[in-house]
Amino acid sequence: MNDALILVVEDEDKIASVICEYLQAAGARTHRIANGLEVLPWLRKNSPSLVLLDLMLPGCDGLTVCRELRKESSVPVIMLTARREEQDRLTGFDLGVDDYICKPFSAKEVVARVVALLRRAQGEVKSPKSDALILDRNTYRVSAKGKTVALTALEFEMLHVLMGAPGRIFSRDEIMNRVYNDFRIVNDRTIDSHVKKLRRKLDSLSLEEKPLRSVYGVGYKYEM
Ligand code: CA
């Protein structure tokens, strides 16, 4: 991992030790914090490549930490959660969490997800394809390989949000909030029906892959 600095925020000593050990074995440097209140002060003085953030922490819980952190930093964040905290999972996506790992997890899995997210953050996951989508905000049109299709303003904004962070999963709430300034959307099902229409339009561009993926129980992501 080329000397990347990973901040591990976890109050359970055993878990934190194992994670740090595996990350170091993979070539990363690590720093450990056990109390939620110590995260922001440390982040103001250091620039880690990624933060592993436990949800249940003494001092200040992981969701609050993440919300505060996002006001100052765009550092990639992976949240560590317990399985029963499904609701927190969804809420977390609205706070700028990039990925989730549910407990119990293996240290190997954590390292794999860290490596994947670092690659994504550094934009080296895939080279741009020949059928990359091109958005034209002036006309609300999207084109690829010489073909063009007209979108509604809402479809355009949704696609713009998803394309802004390829591979990142957006919950329906988050998509709704991002386009809310201009459009009133009533509920989750409305998002689903707009995505459905958007997908149908993108199909007409005859792309090699379908760029809008749904992630069961969580939301949508753009990936090409
Ligand atoms: Ca904990």
Side-chain angles (χ1 to χ4, degrees):
M1 263 186 277
N2 305 328
D3 215 28
L5 175 60
I6 313 292
L7 173 61
V8 179
V9 187
E10 167 66 76
D11 58 314
E12 282 170 73
D13 190 51
K14 231 182 185 174
I15 296 179
S17 306
V18 174
I19 290 177
C20 286
E21 225 172 82
Y22 271 73
L23 286 170
Q24 286 163 17
R29 288 174 297 138
T30 57
H31 180 79
R32 267 172 70 173
I33 290 179
N35 188 305
L37 291 173
E38 293 168 21
V39 177
L40 279 181
W42 188 85
L43 276 176
R44 288 185 185 125
K45 291 181 193 148
N46 300 273
S47 310
S49 310
L50 187 143
V51 178
L52 279 169
L53 184 58
D54 186 27
L55 182 61
M56 305 302 280
L57 288 166
C60 181
D61 70 90
L63 290 178
T64 309
V65 170
C66 193
R67 195 189 300 131
E68 292 302 313
L69 170 162
R70 274 288 170 262
K71 291 176 185 167
E72 309 178 15
S73 166
S74 58
V75 63
V77 174
I78 298 179
M79 187 76 87
L80 308 174
T81 71
R83 268 185 211 287
R84 61 180 185 283
E85 292 152 346
E86 289 298 323
Q87 194 50 48
D88 293 320
R89 268 182 84 149
L90 298 183
T91 315
F93 277 100
D94 299 327
L95 300 169
V97 173
D98 297 276
D99 200 1
Y100 275 86
I101 304 177
C102 288
K103 291 178 181 179
F105 46 70
S106 72
K108 257 188 188 170
E109 184 191 355
V110 173
V111 170
R113 300 281 277 275
V114 167
V115 169
L117 183 51
L118 283 176
R119 283 215 188 106
R120 217 164 86 199
Q122 287 156 7
E124 50 179 56
V125 62
K126 281 178 192 171
S127 54
K129 289 193 179 173
S130 56
D131 58 356
L133 298 180
I134 300 159
L135 297 180
D136 182 353
R137 181 170 285 284
N138 293 317
T139 58
Y140 286 141
R141 281 166 192 271
V142 56
S143 52
K145 294 193 293 189
K147 288 186 179 180
T148 297
V149 62
L151 305 178
T152 65
L154 177 71
E155 289 162 356
F156 184 92
E157 297 302 343
M158 282 180 18
L159 185 56
H160 186 250
V161 165
L162 293 166
M163 281 180 72
R168 179 168 166 334
I169 304 162
F170 290 84
S171 70
R172 292 172 178 82
D173 271 354
E174 190 169 17
I175 296 171
M176 200 153 24
N177 290 335
R178 297 277 183 112
V179 295
Y180 187 71
N181 286 345
D182 303 309
F183 308 96
R184 282 196 172 266
I185 302 172
V186 188
N187 60 39
D188 286 3
R189 298 278 81 81
T190 318
I191 288 282
D192 290 342
S193 84
H194 284 291
V195 169
K196 206 168 161 190
K197 283 178 199 159
L198 178 55
R199 274 179 168 161
R200 218 174 290 146
K201 289 185 179 178
L202 293 179
D203 280 346
S204 71
L205 296 172
S206 355
L207 305 166
E208 283 161 34
E209 292 174 46
K210 293 186 186 298
L212 291 190
R213 318 264 170 91
S214 55
V215 181
Y216 184 73
V218 184
Y220 293 99
K221 67 175 175 177
Y222 171 89
E223 204 158 59
M224 271 188 84

